């Protein structure tokens, strides 16, 4: 199971450093001030539920998801199941916030509990239970392991996470845990949603906000998983880092006295005498070379981030 190629590491180094710098900024500001941050947490929880369910095929929009969760409203034309999926996932997020703390150690019972919450009343026969027969993943380049192996593989994975024999950082650990869990595919259904919850236990215990994989990135995400099935974690690590950086940026920019100034790339490059073009800066953003994150279809970054990158590049040459 441990086919892990770590050659991507060098490429990702500066991104990891940035993520840890922002984590430190957040941790130094704890306890985080004021109502604004409470609001961010709530907004992100709804986004998390919307995106994770939507990747899986739920057709509620972000706004509808919010109404179902926060106002208990029933949306005309949407199935009962879709309503339950939204409410269930939201409860699972609450549960996760309840159990996560600085000294949290991953346990299989927590993975089962999260799965139980995700599928409650929808598939009660399977909720919180590992599968007892074979499964296939549409579009995947492999077939998940035989059902009689699942329990041992799961234990092995949890030991791997807790012992961390390769000395992986938190982002790498969450990424590899994510991939190995969906590779094992312990459940008949709900594997994706469950692991997108559980991996955040590993990040949030260290003071990171949740990494939310966006519905817009679904294709990229599945493609990255297929690469990871071959032992290549580069794409998945980048996607995970970018997902995490987005929520980190949302938090750090909301802190009083922060000096980040994120803007759409098109705004930055439009400034007279700005030496770089839209295409080039967008490429750097997509590749994770500069501090940037995507909101909807647009990449946001800061002038400082572009200038820092250029200065470092010149120094290296
Ligand atoms: N090619 C792949 N290799 C490994 N894992 C994959 C691949 N394609 C998808 N997956 C994982 O399997 C999940 C789908 O499994 P399953 O249907 O049990 O979960 P779900 O929660 O019902 O749906 P989803 O995960 O799509 O939200 C995907 O979200 C993804 O995490
Ligand atoms: Mg499914």
């Amino acid at each position: 199971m441990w086919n892990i190629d770590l050659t991507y590491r060098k490429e990702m180094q500066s991104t990891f450093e940035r993520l840890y710098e922002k984590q430190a900024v957040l941790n130094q500001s704890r306890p985080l001030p004021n109502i604004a941050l409470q609001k961010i947490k709530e907004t992100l929880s709804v986004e998390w539920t919307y995106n994770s369910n939507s990747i899986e095929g739920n057709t509620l929009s972000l706004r509808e998801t919010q109404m179902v969760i926060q106002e208990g409203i029933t949306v005309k034309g949407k199935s009962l199941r879709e309503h339950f999926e939204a409410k269930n996932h939201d409860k699972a997020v609450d549960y996760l916030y309840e159990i996560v703390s600085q000294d949290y150690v991953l346990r299989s019972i927590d993975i089962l509990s999260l799965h139980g919450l995700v599928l409650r009343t929808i598939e009660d026969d399977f909720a919180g239970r590992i599968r007892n027969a074979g499964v296939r993943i549409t579009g995947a380049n492999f077939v998940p392991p035989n059902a009689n192996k699942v329990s041992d593989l799961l234990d092995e994975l949890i030991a791997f996470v807790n012992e961390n024999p390769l000395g992986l950082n938190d982002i790498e650990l969450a990424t590899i845990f994510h991939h190995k869990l969906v590779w094992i595919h312990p459940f008949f259904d709900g594997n994706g949603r469950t692991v997108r919850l559980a991996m955040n236990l590993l990040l949030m215990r260290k003071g990171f906000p949740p990494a939310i994989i966006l519905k817009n990135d679904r294709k990229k995400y599945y493609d990255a998983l297929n690469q990871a099935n071959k032992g290549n974690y580069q794409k998945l690590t980048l996607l995970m880092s970018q997902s995490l950086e987005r929520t980190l940026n949302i938090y750090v920019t909301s802190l009083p006295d922060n000096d980040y100034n994120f803007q759409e790339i098109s705004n930055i490059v439009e400034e007279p005498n700005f030496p770089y073009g839209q295409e080039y800066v967008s490429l750097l953003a997509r590749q994770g070379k500069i501090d940037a994150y995507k909101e909807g279809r647009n990449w946001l970054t800061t002038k400082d981030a572009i200038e820092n990158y250029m200065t470092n590049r010149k120094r290296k040459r």
Side-chain angles (χ1 to χ4, degrees):
M1 167 156 84
W2 309 113
N3 172 20
I4 301 171
D5 177 354
L6 292 177
T7 48
Y8 68 80
R9 264 188 161 168
K10 227 177 113 237
E11 281 279 297
M12 290 299 298
Q13 208 48 48
S14 61
T15 305
F16 290 151
E17 279 165 21
R18 249 181 8 240
L19 296 174
Y20 275 102
E21 269 164 35
K22 289 174 187 168
Q23 174 218 38
V25 169
L26 266 189
N27 282 343
Q28 278 154 20
S29 322
R30 281 178 206 281
L32 297 175
N34 75 42
I35 311 174
L37 288 160
Q38 183 57 33
K39 185 92 182 84
I40 296 179
K41 182 188 158 197
E42 272 167 37
T43 307
L44 288 181
S45 295
V46 175
E47 277 190 17
W48 186 351
T49 294
Y50 159 70
N51 283 286
S52 197
N53 282 353
S54 164
I55 286 175
E56 172 260 347
N58 188 300
T59 65
L60 293 174
S61 67
L62 176 63
R63 178 83 186 104
E64 288 167 344
T65 304
Q66 182 197 13
M67 293 198 301
V68 169
I69 292 171
Q70 293 181 346
E71 291 153 46
I73 283 169
T74 308
V75 183
K76 226 165 118 191
K78 303 291 176 180
S79 69
L80 204 53
R81 181 188 173 111
E82 294 190 301
H83 286 79
F84 275 122
E85 284 177 347
K87 288 184 198 165
N88 282 3
H89 190 276
D90 184 59
K91 294 235 167 68
V93 170
D94 285 346
Y95 179 71
L96 191 150
Y97 273 102
E98 258 170 52
I99 63 172
V100 75
S101 66
Q102 244 177 37
D103 44 16
Y104 176 79
V105 175
L106 187 64
R107 304 182 308 168
S108 63
I109 175 116
D110 295 333
I111 300 174
L112 297 182
S113 301
L114 288 169
H115 183 258
L117 290 169
V118 165
L119 288 193
R120 197 167 57 170
T121 51
I122 301 171
E123 294 177 49
D124 268 330
D125 294 349
F126 304 135
R129 302 217 177 117
I130 58 178
R131 62 184 164 88
N132 55 8
V135 278
R136 283 177 171 273
I137 308 174
T138 318
N141 54 4
F142 81 110
V143 179
N146 197 297
N148 62 22
K149 299 239 168 67
V150 166
S151 174
D152 286 349
L153 286 168
L154 198 55
D155 289 344
E156 207 186 313
L157 175 59
I158 287 164
F160 175 87
V161 168
N162 290 331
E163 289 157 22
N164 192 11
L166 299 179
L168 304 172
N169 68 36
D170 301 300
I171 300 123
E172 295 174 303
L173 200 60
T175 303
I176 288 173
F177 167 64
H178 180 125
H179 169 255
K180 293 298 182 187
L181 194 81
V182 285
W183 181 84
I184 298 170
H185 230 70
F187 309 110
F188 279 119
D189 193 15
N191 294 279
R193 281 165 288 173
T194 302
V195 76
R196 290 188 291 274
L197 287 159
M199 68 165 185
N200 277 318
L201 285 168
L202 305 182
L203 296 172
M204 288 159 69
R205 67 179 176 180
K206 297 297 173 71
F208 285 108
I212 300 173
I213 296 173
L214 300 178
K215 192 230 167 154
N216 276 343
D217 287 331
R218 185 174 190 268
K219 236 187 123 268
K220 222 194 256 178
Y221 171 48
Y222 280 23
D223 182 40
L225 285 168
N226 268 334
Q227 296 288 317
N229 292 332
K230 298 189 259 180
N232 180 350
Y233 283 87
Q234 178 149 17
K235 284 189 171 176
L236 193 60
T237 311
L238 180 59
L239 180 63
M240 209 60 88
S241 299
Q242 289 174 331
S243 307
L244 180 58
E245 190 146 32
R246 174 174 164 272
T247 48
L248 267 172
N249 285 341
I250 291 173
Y251 272 100
V252 294
T253 55
S254 76
L255 290 173
D257 305 329
N258 82 85
D259 45 21
Y260 292 95
N261 182 18
F262 283 95
Q263 306 175 56
E264 284 183 18
I265 289 176
S266 54
N267 286 346
I268 299 177
V269 299
E270 256 171 27
E271 282 184 31
N273 303 327
F274 194 79
Y276 311 105
Q278 162 108 17
E279 303 255 313
Y280 179 55
V281 178
S282 303
L283 180 70
L284 294 178
R286 282 200 304 280
Q287 292 176 334
K289 299 225 160 107
I290 55 174
D291 183 356
Y293 68 103
K294 206 172 172 185
E295 204 58 84
R297 302 214 167 277
N298 298 312
W299 281 96
L300 305 183
T301 186
T302 68
K303 259 171 98 170
D304 284 352
I306 303 170
E307 277 156 16
N308 285 345
Y309 173 77
M310 295 306 168
T311 321
N312 281 334
R313 236 175 64 120
K314 279 191 198 125
R315 210 180 303 135
K316 273 183 198 153
R317 276 203 253 140

